């Protein structure tokens, strides 16, 4: 905010609208544009504004592209690449089904470290909900009086719609699932659609009737001007904010009867087969739908791809180029993608990086019969993590910090999500604030060592992608 003349985080423009003589009834205009450097401070901008003259400025005569973008235009072949998914159903695409991550609108209630604690919360939530259902059932949502409803439940538009329709089923272990909440963090999740605003048929289509199928999926961040493109594979349902705003593309999908179907389309398979065809009368045996899935994952990690299409990825979901011309080229990219996916989905079981652990007793805390103070502080320059007031992990290589998802390294995602934080929801804060880092310390230490391994190996593979065949 020190760079903004009003101290806010929204861009500020000064606009002059000039009406042409005799322009009444005519359409069209011209736009001339100039801007100050991004990192000028507010004082520098105001000083410039006080001294500059419009007649002395170098304006750019803007012309929009075919998609009505005026600034940061991209001049490349992005529109010619293969789309990941087509929601209209009119065009071909790599995947048949795509869906957003689960939007719960009440994360504090439906996610938890541990299923027993989660069920305790949900029994309370179900009881509160059903009391309100008895009061308001059959009425229109617009007739509800929030001031007369329980203050111990977080009401959203979807939950208000639900409360007038039907009672919530009793809290039960049959609704328990495991979800990827944030990068490299799996939590127990209560998968009753009553209490999640956007838990839809598409989620059950990708992960089975009870979200129990471990089905490989590619999670991609939704476009946004301020966002950095990111992706991460998972074999579990994930939260809407898993990768920022998240869209999921699964390898397969499941019918209501449990039948498994390919989610890579026949149209997509045909495009790859035609491009990497080995010769007349032969079909490449290695060119399978699963290999295409891995190929896509590798290409989306390619730093050359991300640099070339950086502006496009801020505005649109990714499209997929066909790299190289031979089957060997395809197989190489698919192999890289399979290796990346194995690392990212199997992050909890990969070989741990050999970190050096130092434990120094916190005599003050022990004398007071208290747990060591939770720190979870990263020190990349020193190659170490301060876990708490007793434990330090050292020997973390620079490459481990170089693997980033958005504005954080993978290691920092783990640290941030395990810190002790006061819950925002007042009822959770009063009745269910049971998270204490000391109960999870050894698991987190082990997880950090494994994510360090994932990070180092990911950086190694991504550097190989940079020199890959195109």
């Amino acid at each position: 905010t020190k760079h903004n003349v009003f101290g806010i985080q929204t861009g500020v423009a000064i606009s002059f609208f000039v009406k042409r003589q005799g322009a009444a009834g005519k359409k069209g205009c011209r736009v001339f544009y100039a801007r100050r450097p991004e990192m000028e401070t507010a004082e520098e901008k105001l000083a410039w504004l006080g001294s500059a003259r419009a007649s002395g400025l170098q304006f750019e005569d803007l012309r929009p592209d075919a998609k009505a973008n005026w600034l940061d235009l991209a001049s490349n072949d992005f529109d010619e690449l293969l789309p990941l998914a087509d929601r209209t159903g009119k065009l071909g695409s790599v995947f048949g089904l795509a869906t957003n991550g689960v939007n719960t609108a009440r994360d504090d209630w439906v996610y938890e470290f541990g299923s027993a604690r989660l069920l305790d919360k949900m029994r309370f939530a179900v009881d509160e909900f059903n009391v309100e259902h008895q009061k308001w059932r059959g009425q229109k949502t617009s007739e509800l009086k929030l001031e007369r409803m329980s203050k111990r439940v977080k009401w959203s538009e979807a939950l208000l719609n639900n409360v007038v329709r039907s009672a919530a089923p009793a809290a039960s272990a049959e609704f328990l699932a495991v979800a990827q909440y944030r990068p490299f963090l799996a939590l127990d999740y209560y998968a009753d659609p009553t209490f999640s605003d956007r838990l839809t048929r598409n989620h059950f289509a990708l992960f089975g009737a009870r979200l129990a199928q471990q089905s490989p999926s590619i999670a991609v961040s939704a476009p946004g001007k301020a966002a950095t493109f990111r992706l991460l594979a998972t074999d579990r349902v994930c939260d809407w904010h898993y990768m920022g705003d998240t869209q999921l593309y699964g390898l397969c999908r499941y019918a209501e009867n449990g039948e498994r179907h390919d989610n890579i389309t026949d149209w997509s398979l045909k495009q790859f087969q035609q491009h990497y065809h080995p010769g007349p009368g032969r079909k490449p045996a290695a060119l399978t739908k699963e290999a295409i899935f891995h190929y896509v994952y590798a290409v989306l990690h390619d730093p050359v791809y991300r640099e070339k299409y950086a502006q496009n990825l801020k505005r649109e979901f990714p499209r997929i180029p066909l790299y190289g011309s031979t089957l060997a080229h395809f197989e190489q990219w698919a192999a890289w993608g399979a290796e990346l996916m194995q690392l990212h989905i199997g992050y909890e079981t990969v070989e741990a990086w050999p970190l050096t652990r130092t434990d120094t007793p916190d005599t003050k805390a022990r004398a007071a019969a208290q747990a060591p103070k939770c720190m979870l502080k990263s020190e990349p320059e020193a190659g170490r993590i301060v876990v708490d007031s007793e434990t330090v992990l050292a020997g973390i290589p620079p490459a481990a910090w170089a693997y980033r998802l958005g504005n954080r390294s993978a290691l920092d995602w783990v640290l941030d999500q395990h810190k002790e934080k006061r819950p925002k929801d007042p009822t959770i804060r009063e009745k269910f604030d049971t998270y204490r880092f000391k109960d999870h310390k050894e698991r987190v230490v082990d997880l950090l060592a494994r994510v360090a391994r994932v990070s180092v190996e990911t950086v190694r593979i991504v550097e190989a992608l940079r020199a890959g065949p195109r």
Side-chain angles (χ1 to χ4, degrees), residues 22-38:
K26 295 182 180 179
K27 294 183 178 180
C29 67
R30 295 178 69 185
V31 177
F32 298 91
Y33 177 79
R35 66 170 297 163
R36 299 302 300 160
E38 184 83 11

Side-chain angles (χ1 to χ4, degrees), residues 444-466:
V444 173
V445 168
D446 178 74
L447 180 60
L448 287 167
R450 297 183 193 278
V451 172
R453 169 73 66 183
V454 170
S455 300
V456 171
E457 298 299 330
T458 298
V459 169
R460 173 185 61 80
I461 297 169
V462 168
E463 282 306 306
L465 298 181
R466 186 182 291 278

Side-chain angles (χ1 to χ4, degrees), residues 340-390:
L340 284 167
M341 190 160 286
Q342 186 176 17
L343 279 170
H344 297 163
I345 289 179
Y347 70 92
E348 294 165 309
T349 57
V350 299
E351 181 186 358
W353 190 266
L355 303 181
T356 302
R357 175 171 174 166
T358 303
D359 291 290
T360 305
D362 184 342
T363 54
K364 186 176 180 180
R366 294 191 178 196
Q370 296 176 346
K373 183 180 179 181
C374 174
M375 309 285 280
L376 295 177
K377 179 184 177 184
S378 63
E379 297 179 349
E381 297 80 6
R384 66 178 205 160
I385 291 171
V386 181
V387 177
D388 58 20
S389 55
E390 288 192 346

Side-chain angles (χ1 to χ4, degrees), residues 315-332:
R315 299 182 176 120
E316 304 175 56
F317 283 104
R319 288 173 170 262
I320 304 303
L322 298 177
Y323 278 163
S325 58
T326 70
L327 186 57
H329 294 153
F330 170 83
E331 289 174 335
Q332 177 62 79

Side-chain angles (χ1 to χ4, degrees), residues 9-143:
Q9 293 184 344
T10 302
V12 176
I14 298 174
S15 301
F16 297 92
F17 297 87
V18 181
K19 185 175 181 180
R20 292 175 294 180
Q21 187 175 7
K26 295 182 180 179
K27 294 183 178 180
C29 67
R30 295 178 69 185
V31 177
F32 298 91
Y33 177 79
R35 66 170 297 163
R36 299 302 300 160
E38 184 83 11
M39 300 310 294
E40 267 192 346
T41 64
E43 289 76 12
E44 289 169 333
K45 289 174 181 173
L46 290 171
W48 171 85
L49 188 63
S51 60
R53 298 179 62 86
S55 59
L57 298 184
Q58 293 295 316
F59 285 100
E60 181 182 357
D61 188 356
L62 295 185
R63 293 286 188 274
D65 64 16
K67 296 181 179 178
N69 297 308
W70 289 78
L71 299 174
D72 300 326
L73 304 185
S75 178
N76 52 46
D77 60 348
F78 192 74
D79 289 342
E80 300 170 16
L81 309 184
L82 306 184
L84 278 188
D86 171 35
R87 297 197 175 202
T88 68
K90 298 177 182 179
L91 304 172
S93 59
V94 177
F95 294 91
L97 174 66
T99 188
N100 293 335
V102 175
N103 188 351
T104 74
R106 51 191 56 77
D107 289 4
D108 284 349
W109 285 96
V110 300
Y111 291 114
E112 186 55 85
F113 289 99
S115 57
R117 286 199 293 262
L118 179 55
L119 281 173
D120 284 344
K121 289 193 296 186
M122 294 314 301
R123 290 188 189 100
F124 180 91
V126 167
D127 289 345
E128 291 290 310
F129 179 92
N130 285 341
V131 167
E132 295 303 319
H133 169 68
Q134 291 300 319
K135 287 165 52 179
W136 304 98
R137 62 181 177 177
Q139 299 193 39
K140 295 179 179 178
T141 307
S142 59
E143 296 171 346

Side-chain angles (χ1 to χ4, degrees), residues 107-333:
D107 289 4
D108 284 349
W109 285 96
V110 300
Y111 291 114
E112 186 55 85
F113 289 99
S115 57
R117 286 199 293 262
L118 179 55
L119 281 173
D120 284 344
K121 289 193 296 186
M122 294 314 301
R123 290 188 189 100
F124 180 91
V126 167
D127 289 345
E128 291 290 310
F129 179 92
N130 285 341
V131 167
E132 295 303 319
H133 169 68
Q134 291 300 319
K135 287 165 52 179
W136 304 98
R137 62 181 177 177
Q139 299 193 39
K140 295 179 179 178
T141 307
S142 59
E143 296 171 346
L144 297 177
K145 308 293 184 185
L146 279 173
E147 66 272 12
R148 292 172 50 196
M149 300 180 72
S150 171
K151 303 296 187 294
R152 298 192 291 184
V153 174
K154 181 185 176 185
W155 297 101
S156 61
E157 182 179 358
L159 196 61
L160 291 171
N161 289 334
N162 292 341
V163 81
V164 299
R165 288 189 192 128
S166 59
S172 168
E174 73 177 73
F175 292 112
L176 294 177
V178 178
Q180 284 297 142
Y181 182 62
R182 295 291 183 269
F184 306 105
L185 174 67
L187 293 178
D188 290 286
Y189 167 54
Y190 195 75
D192 174 7
T194 305
F195 293 97
S196 288
D197 281 15
R198 297 292 184 273
L199 174 59
T200 70
R201 287 179 298 176
N202 284 349
H203 297 112
F204 295 107
L206 286 182
F207 298 98
R210 294 188 177 180
L211 304 181
Q213 297 288 352
Q214 290 187 309
S215 182
S217 297
I218 299 173
V220 175
S221 60
K225 188 139 179 113
T228 302
F229 175 74
R230 68 213 91 145
L231 79 155
L232 188 61
T234 175
D235 61 355
R236 302 160 173 150
V237 71
C238 71
D239 186 75
W240 168 234
H241 296 301
Y242 176 53
M243 295 300 302
D245 293 345
T246 302
Q247 191 159 69
L248 281 166
Y249 304 85
L251 172 63
C252 56
R253 50 191 171 83
Y254 295 87
E256 290 185 9
N257 63 3
E259 266 187 7
R260 181 185 181 276
H261 299 278
D262 292 327
N263 195 35
I264 301 290
T265 65
D266 292 339
W267 177 91
S268 171
L269 179 61
K270 184 178 179 180
Q271 306 307 307
F272 278 83
Q273 287 176 339
Q274 288 176 343
H275 186 81
Y276 298 108
H277 204 287
R282 295 178 57 201
K283 286 188 177 181
L287 215 165
T288 64
K289 290 185 175 181
E290 185 173 17
I292 291 173
F293 185 68
H294 293 147
Y295 172 95
V296 167
Y297 197 55
V299 167
L300 294 181
H301 275 89
D302 175 25
V304 176
Y305 171 90
R306 293 193 184 189
E307 291 161 10
K308 180 177 180 179
Y309 300 113
Q311 293 300 332
N312 305 89
L313 294 172
K314 289 181 179 180
R315 299 182 176 120
E316 304 175 56
F317 283 104
R319 288 173 170 262
I320 304 303
L322 298 177
Y323 278 163
S325 58
T326 70
L327 186 57
H329 294 153
F330 170 83
E331 289 174 335
Q332 177 62 79
W333 284 97

